[in-house]
Amino acid sequence: MRRKGLASMASQTVVTTADTVDLGPAAGLSCRECGERFALGPIFACEICFGPLEVAYDFPSGDPEGLRKRIENGPENIWRYAPLLPVPADVADKPNLNPGWTKLVTADNLARELGVETGKLFVKDDSGNPTHSFKDRVVAQAIEAARAFGFTTLSCSSTGNLAGAVGAAAARAGFRSCVFIPHDLEQGKVVMAAVYGGELVGIEGNYDDVNRFCSELIGDPAGEGWGFVNVNLRPYYGEGSKTLAYEICEQLGWRIPDQIVIPIASGSQLTKIDKGIQELIKLGLVEDRPYKIFGAQAEGCSPVSVAFKAGHDVVRPQKPDTIAKSLAIGNPADGPYVLDICRRTGGAVEDVTDEQIVDAIKLLARTEGIFTETAGGTTLGVAKKLIEAGAIDPSLTTVVINTGDGLKTLDAVAPTAGMSAVIRPNLDSFREAGLA
Ligand SMILES: *Cc1c(COP(=O)(O)O)cnc(C)c1O
Ligand SMILES: [Zn+2]
């Protein structure tokens, strides 16, 4: 699928310099490994130690009550947290998809089924975002960085959902987009990535091949002037996941939940949820209390889970083979940090089989009327497994994050979710079917 030459899109260059960049409270980038500071720019690795860069902030200080009020009076989307994000103050007025402020569902039917105290189990349902996955949160940040740095083409390497989120956000914000996916993704993900009118390129390989290709493209004249949301804009992109932590705590009445179960692809979301909680504590918006973070993977792509259980600090790459394609990253960039966080908080990383993923998708649908994709099946499947193993305490507050919509992964459940009967249009036929 290739309608126009990619090279013809690569002529623009980055015009903005660091001193004219306005990304609100973002003051610079700092290396997660050695702490070295850098000016805001489209860079993602430390020049000294090659560690990943993170956004460093000058946060408003001293008036948590005022800040809380300001947030509560803000828009019902992620921009209520604009004072804590790398975005300009007028971000809500710019053309974007305004994701976030998704429902935190009290899942009592599911709780009863899993033996959890009622009122204690919640599903943060991020399938309610504009392109039906949590990726709209991260893309919204990356777009502001792309604007600030003068990019006009948006790109990404994607396991499916990100491609759709970039395509839609680019269409709305007036960017050109050209995104890259493994060629064998689910039809729902492919169509959703293509429909917004940008270029969608399938790569003959898995996600790790796609990602490697994008890294090469960044260093080549063919990719000059392109903002890759999860590569050269990754420090900004990642900050979008903090809004999940902010929303969950605010929706619980400005309280940190005891236990959170989070899916792991690259591990970015999990590490940034922890970062978000730590920021809320430092800003005095929530009380500092212990919480445990649990990571979820599919057995067919479980490099972080395997390392966690073996007590290793390094993550050995795997070749993914699972129906949870949105989580199929065999060499997760944030793997070691996920291990740190899950160990430090007293949580765990666990994995489930494809069969358990399908069972969990149907369990959530049957109990709460929420149709999740395979990633959500993975997360709930792991939550169930950890409750049964006693690692998750059923008497404490637990939040399970549903990151995507089941309509995009119909194939996973289609073989076991069909019609109860096909009948002729008369009552006799209905009675014969035994459904009366
Ligand atoms: C991308 C994605 C994730 C997690 O991604 P990270 O790379 O770990 O941040 C989880 N669920 C779905 C549905 C996704 O698309
Ligand atoms: Zn460094």
Side-chain angles (χ1 to χ4, degrees):
M1 207 215 77
R2 184 166 169 177
R3 293 189 305 275
K4 20 181 162 129
L6 298 181
S8 68
M9 300 177 168
S11 49
Q12 72 302 117
T13 46
V14 180
V15 289
T16 317
T17 61
D19 17 307
T20 60
V21 169
D22 171 17
L23 290 174
L29 297 172
S30 70
C31 173
R32 188 153 177 159
E33 287 296 326
C34 75
E36 183 72 15
R37 287 284 289 251
F38 300 89
L40 293 170
I43 51 170
F44 56 103
C46 175
E47 279 168 22
I48 293 159
C49 75
F50 300 109
L53 301 181
E54 287 191 316
V55 178
Y57 294 94
D58 282 334
F59 276 147
S61 66
D63 180 19
E65 267 320 306
L67 180 56
R68 190 179 301 164
K69 284 231 165 61
R70 187 171 156 194
I71 291 170
E72 287 172 350
N73 292 330
E76 292 194 339
N77 56 51
I78 53 171
W79 304 133
R80 65 203 283 108
Y81 307 107
L84 310 181
L85 296 169
V87 294
D90 64 347
V91 62
D93 303 330
K94 299 187 185 251
N96 67 73
L97 296 173
N98 299 323
W101 204 242
T102 55
K103 287 179 204 160
L104 184 71
V105 178
T106 311
D108 282 348
N109 297 330
L110 180 63
R112 275 188 284 273
E113 190 108 3
L114 297 179
V116 173
E117 220 170 275
T118 51
K120 292 288 176 74
L121 182 61
F122 299 87
V123 174
K124 177 62 171 168
D125 189 8
D126 243 24
S127 68
N129 275 309
T131 68
H132 306 275
S133 89
F134 102 99
K135 289 297 197 299
D136 294 317
R137 297 178 184 272
V138 284
V139 170
Q141 316 301 314
I143 284 229
E144 293 313 315
R147 274 193 243 271
F149 303 140
F151 291 118
T152 53
T153 297
L154 283 185
S155 187
C156 67
S157 55
S158 172
T159 56
N161 284 314
L162 184 59
V166 167
R172 168 115 178 104
F175 285 81
R176 197 157 43 181
S177 72
C178 179
V179 299
F180 300 90
I181 56 171
H183 69 110
D184 60 350
L185 286 186
E186 303 96 334
Q187 192 190 19
K189 301 251 171 76
V190 173
V191 173
M192 266 208 76
V195 75
Y196 303 104
E199 301 287 344
L200 174 67
V201 180
I203 302 259
E204 292 169 4
N206 60 30
Y207 173 81
D208 299 288
D209 298 316
V210 178
N211 202 37
R212 210 174 314 115
F213 168 78
C214 286
S215 301
E216 269 179 52
L217 185 52
I218 283 179
D220 190 271
E224 208 182 297
W226 288 28
F228 289 78
V229 300
N230 59 337
V231 189
N232 57 359
L233 299 174
R234 190 172 182 82
Y236 312 93
Y237 160 99
E239 295 298 285
S241 290
K242 294 190 313 185
T243 60
L244 269 166
Y246 299 159
E247 287 180 22
I248 289 168
C249 291
E250 184 179 353
Q251 288 168 319
L252 289 171
W254 295 106
R255 190 170 187 279
I256 306 169
D258 301 302
Q259 306 168 122
I260 311 178
V261 193
I262 306 167
I264 301 166
S266 72
S268 171
Q269 178 183 148
L270 188 147
T271 60
K272 300 303 176 180
I273 286 177
D274 181 61
K275 186 175 191 241
I277 293 175
Q278 291 299 320
E279 287 174 357
L280 292 183
I281 293 171
K282 279 197 205 93
L283 289 161
L285 292 173
V286 296
E287 190 195 325
D288 190 1
R289 59 196 300 280
Y291 60 92
K292 294 185 179 182
I293 291 190
F294 298 87
Q297 295 206 294
E299 190 185 87
C301 183
S302 50
V304 189
S305 169
V306 166
F308 182 88
K309 291 185 207 175
H312 294 161
D313 295 331
V314 289
V315 173
R316 263 187 58 199
Q318 288 182 4
K319 226 184 175 83
D321 179 15
T322 170
I323 58 169
K325 295 188 180 187
S326 51
L327 303 180
I329 297 185
N331 189 12
D334 288 299
Y337 303 115
V338 169
L339 292 173
D340 279 353
I341 289 165
C342 293
R343 288 183 177 133
R344 167 170 58 73
T345 63
V349 186
E350 188 49 274
D351 56 83
V352 284
T353 64
D354 283 0
E355 199 184 333
Q356 290 170 316
I357 292 170
V358 172
D359 287 348
I361 291 174
K362 292 165 87 174
L363 172 65
L364 184 60
R366 170 163 70 72
T367 53
E368 300 298 340
I370 297 171
F371 185 23
T372 182
E373 73 146 88
T374 45
T378 304
T379 313
L380 179 57
V382 161
K384 181 171 185 279
K385 190 170 175 180
L386 291 172
I387 290 165
E388 285 163 2
I392 289 181
D393 186 334
S395 70
L396 299 177
T397 302
T398 303
V399 176
V400 176
I401 300 185
N402 171 29
T403 47
D405 193 322
L407 285 173
K408 291 197 218 178
T409 60
L410 284 177
D411 285 354
V413 285
T416 56
M419 296 173 212
S420 302
V422 176
I423 62 168
R424 292 179 303 281
N426 63 57
L427 287 171
D428 282 347
S429 185
F430 179 65
R431 283 194 197 94
E432 270 164 36
L435 296 167

